Amino acid sequence: MIDFLTLYQKILDILPTRNMQLLTDICHEIIGIPISITDITYTVQAITPKKKTGDYYWDYLLDHPRYETDMVVRLYEEGIMQSAMEHTQPYVIDWGAATSDFPKIVGVIRINDILEGYIVMQCPKNGITEERMTAMSIIQKACSVLYGNSNSENSMEAVHQKAFIGALFKDCIHTQNQLDLWCRRTHLSLDAPYQIVAVNKPELKEKQVLSYIQKVVQTLTPYQLAIIQNNILYILFYHHSVTNPDTQTYLRKSLKELLGKFHVHCGISALFYHLTDTTKYRSQAEYALEFGTMFHKEQQLYDYKDYYLPAILTPRVMEMSSCNYLSPAITYLQEYDKQHSSNFLETLKCYITSLCHTSNTIHALHIHRNSLLYRINKIEELTGISLEDYNTRLHLMISFYMIELEKKLH
């Protein structure tokens, strides 16, 4: 039987100390089973008793400050990590390789609906009782109080910073005076240049993964602000994270490895120099993410510079009939080649996409220079266009690009 009166009294006595380890010590003393507390990155905040139990995950935390990323991925693949998003009250985990031999009662530490960490009671087989579930509810509430320190996502400084980045992404900051006021309030010095990344895991239940990635990125560099909106993690990198080549290489490599483990994708904006342009460059990161996952899903990182043409032209492909954007010369040559078994359209495409370089074109088509000149003259004669005209070349180049884009979209 658990002495709840004593449990309440002892928890009340230690709350002013904000000591997580003391909390687990007294709870273990009264409840009688191993108890651990970790933050959202599975970094140990407290653990009692400090001796091995035979549970691999418990024993690992006795010798290491946190779980390695591969271990977190294993929890994710078994559905244990995602289960935290589905529960507010204590719940039981007794499935998967991580818990099959050592069932656990899990309590989620939430403050203002923000997931801050986990409490775990390691129970023996058939040791999950209503009393222990009730005790976990009590410990959850105590942890919510104890977690209100400077490391919490709900500390006053963190709240101000979230409000600041939220205002930036909502395009609510337009002047230098507004920026200066926010920077004084948040005690931030955000030097240019800047860059935005957008990280997405489409399934709503995967928000837990985004929170984990956010926390890990915070350990990689202090020169960043992050916020999760509409199931997208936005990270604003600034100053040293962007200007130092070694730091940037390290960040990209670390991000790629981290995202790859969770099959998550990331769009990256170009550099920019004025925070009032944040929403414009957020759109770049979103476009890179959208078209990167559409065309190169096997990758993790997508730079906007590689996808600005699809971002510009896809709406036209989706909204307009092809006859409204294709050069009439292409349509005419398609029909002419069908009727005469010729290949003028192929020649025109190769010539235009080779930037009208004769040598490149004849090499690609394996034809003589005189044959190419004949074909070009014949194309101009049939279609009534001049390939010396800049606008004509531009229209043809765009047309051929949009034909390929339409194929990829369908």
Side-chain angles (χ1 to χ4, degrees), residues 83-99:
S83 63
M85 300 306 300
E86 302 167 3
H87 300 86
T88 55
Q89 300 303 317
Y91 59 98
V92 176
I93 291 180
D94 59 357
W95 73 88
T99 59

Side-chain angles (χ1 to χ4, degrees), residues 24-25 55 73 102 137 155 177 201 224 248 293 317 393:
T24 60
D25 288 345
D55 176 5
V73 171
F102 295 88
S137 295
S155 66
N177 285 338
K201 184 72 173 176
Q224 52 78 33
Q248 195 168 44
T293 53
V317 172
R393 287 185 179 185

Side-chain angles (χ1 to χ4, degrees), residues 242-288:
V242 179
T243 57
N244 186 292
D246 292 337
T247 301
Q248 195 168 44
T249 300
Y250 169 70
L251 276 174
R252 287 184 71 97
K253 180 181 178 182
S254 300
L255 261 178
K256 186 175 182 179
E257 290 177 355
L258 180 63
L259 300 178
K261 291 179 183 297
F262 292 101
H263 308 292
V264 178
H265 305 279
C266 170
I268 305 172
S269 77
L271 297 182
F272 62 105
Y273 296 85
H274 302 285
L275 279 176
T276 51
D277 291 332
T278 294
T279 54
K280 299 175 185 176
Y281 288 86
R282 180 196 65 189
S283 296
Q284 286 192 2
E286 292 170 345
Y287 284 134

